[in-house]
Amino acid sequence: MSQLKHSAQDKLEQLDGFHVSIDTETGRADVVLKRPPFNIISMAQRDQLRLVFESLDENEKVRVIVLRAEGEHFSSGGDIKGFLEASPEHVSKLAWNIAAPARCSKPVIAVNQGYCFGVGFEISLACDFRIVTDTTLYALPEQKLGQIPGSGGSARLQKMVGITRTKDVVMRSRRIPGKQAYDWGIATEFVPLAELEAATDSLVKELLFFSPIAQRTAKKLLNDTDDATLSVAIELEGHCYSRLRSSDDFREGVEAFHGKRAPKFIGS
């Protein structure tokens, strides 16, 4: 916790249902859900997760963030009783909190095993990469409670798989196995459960190789142009490309390419 942003520390005296670890040598940070057996996400935990992602985003020693969970399941969803006790104002902020991984400028990997329901699915959809296994089950089961997804789940899913498949998932509370999620383009990688940790480590290592400033630029550009017209997206891409041309990392990348050596990016 000493490595988190000081302004957030006051509100994070005790993390609710998860912990954070940072490897300053590699630049990897892990946000680990830890409320066995199903890692239910409380209302307070949603607020804290937002603060943690914002703190990690500002931590210069962090390059890649991994969101994972201890145990058999990633998360079976939110604390249902908490919804009834929360004020309308608090509930209105749920989607903003869960969107923290998407707003974070750094790459975020969701490691999804077992149940990944409700808010567990929604926060995973807000990440940049999702690794699933043969045990993974995605679902937005809110219809069974007389509700709809409230933290961006249906909106993000529809962007990824279209309205027909999203209606199938949301309106029927249907569970999507890991392999099907991969086939539909929801998941980035599908691996056996025994290889989940190795696959995560491999992806982290791969992302750490690239220029931090180029990674941040690519993520923001892709997020900002997700609902833009083609002409606007191309225009913004050109501006981003132009800015990166003057970066130290671009110069290093070109020199390394011509020198037939591995680049040493510094993030500027």
Side-chain angles (χ1 to χ4, degrees), residues 27-46:
R28 169 176 171 168
D30 285 74
V31 179
V32 187
L33 305 184
K34 190 178 181 180
R35 183 177 279 119
F38 298 112
N39 292 313
I40 293 172
I41 298 175
S42 70
M43 298 296 283
Q45 186 176 350
R46 295 167 183 255

Side-chain angles (χ1 to χ4, degrees), residues 139-149 154 157-158 163-176:
L140 294 170
E142 288 82 1
Q143 289 280 291
K144 294 180 178 179
L145 300 175
Q147 253 296 5
I148 63 171
S154 57
L157 187 62
Q158 185 172 337
I163 189 170
T164 299
R165 285 174 170 170
T166 301
K167 284 181 177 179
D168 188 32
V169 173
V170 173
M171 297 177 70
R172 299 173 65 191
S173 293
R174 196 158 79 79
R175 298 182 178 185
I176 308 300

Side-chain angles (χ1 to χ4, degrees), residues 30 179 181 256 265:
D30 285 74
K179 181 59 168 61
F265 296 121

Side-chain angles (χ1 to χ4, degrees), residues 87-106:
S87 68
E89 182 180 9
H90 192 185
V91 171
S92 70
K93 297 178 181 178
L94 295 181
W96 177 256
N97 287 340
I98 297 307
R103 293 194 305 273
C104 179
S105 66
K106 300 167 183 179

Side-chain angles (χ1 to χ4, degrees), residues 2-186:
S2 61
Q3 300 174 74
L4 292 177
K5 180 181 172 185
H6 287 297
S7 62
Q9 285 181 336
D10 295 337
K11 299 179 181 179
L12 296 173
E13 295 179 358
Q14 183 176 354
L15 294 177
D16 184 11
F18 70 106
H19 69 264
V20 181
S21 64
I22 301 174
D23 186 334
T24 56
E25 291 186 5
T26 64
R28 169 176 171 168
D30 285 74
V31 179
V32 187
L33 305 184
K34 190 178 181 180
R35 183 177 279 119
F38 298 112
N39 292 313
I40 293 172
I41 298 175
S42 70
M43 298 296 283
Q45 186 176 350
R46 295 167 183 255
D47 297 330
Q48 291 184 343
L49 284 167
R50 174 183 61 80
L51 291 171
V52 163
F53 272 100
E54 291 172 354
S55 298
L56 293 176
D57 198 15
E58 295 190 14
N59 189 327
E60 295 180 354
K61 295 182 179 180
V62 174
R63 288 276 315 280
V64 177
I65 303 171
V66 176
L67 175 63
R68 58 185 180 88
E70 292 186 359
E72 182 180 352
H73 303 289
F74 178 79
S75 174
S76 64
D79 178 13
I80 297 174
K81 185 179 180 181
F83 287 103
L84 299 177
E85 298 173 346
S87 68
E89 182 180 9
H90 192 185
V91 171
S92 70
K93 297 178 181 178
L94 295 181
W96 177 256
N97 287 340
I98 297 307
R103 293 194 305 273
C104 179
S105 66
K106 300 167 183 179
V108 183
I109 303 167
V111 184
N112 298 139
Q113 76 279 9
Y115 295 162
C116 191
F117 298 163
V119 67
F121 189 14
E122 290 176 304
I123 196 169
S124 299
L125 289 171
C127 296
D128 305 302
F129 305 90
R130 284 161 292 281
I131 305 178
V132 298
T133 79
D134 43 3
T135 71
T136 305
L137 285 173
Y138 283 141
L140 294 170
E142 288 82 1
Q143 289 280 291
K144 294 180 178 179
L145 300 175
Q147 253 296 5
I148 63 171
S151 297
S154 57
R156 292 186 189 279
L157 187 62
Q158 185 172 337
K159 286 283 187 181
M160 293 180 184
V161 304
I163 189 170
T164 299
R165 285 174 170 170
T166 301
K167 284 181 177 179
D168 188 32
V169 173
V170 173
M171 297 177 70
R172 299 173 65 191
S173 293
R174 196 158 79 79
R175 298 182 178 185
I176 308 300
K179 181 59 168 61
Q180 187 174 24
Y182 175 74
D183 292 340
W184 281 11
I186 300 172

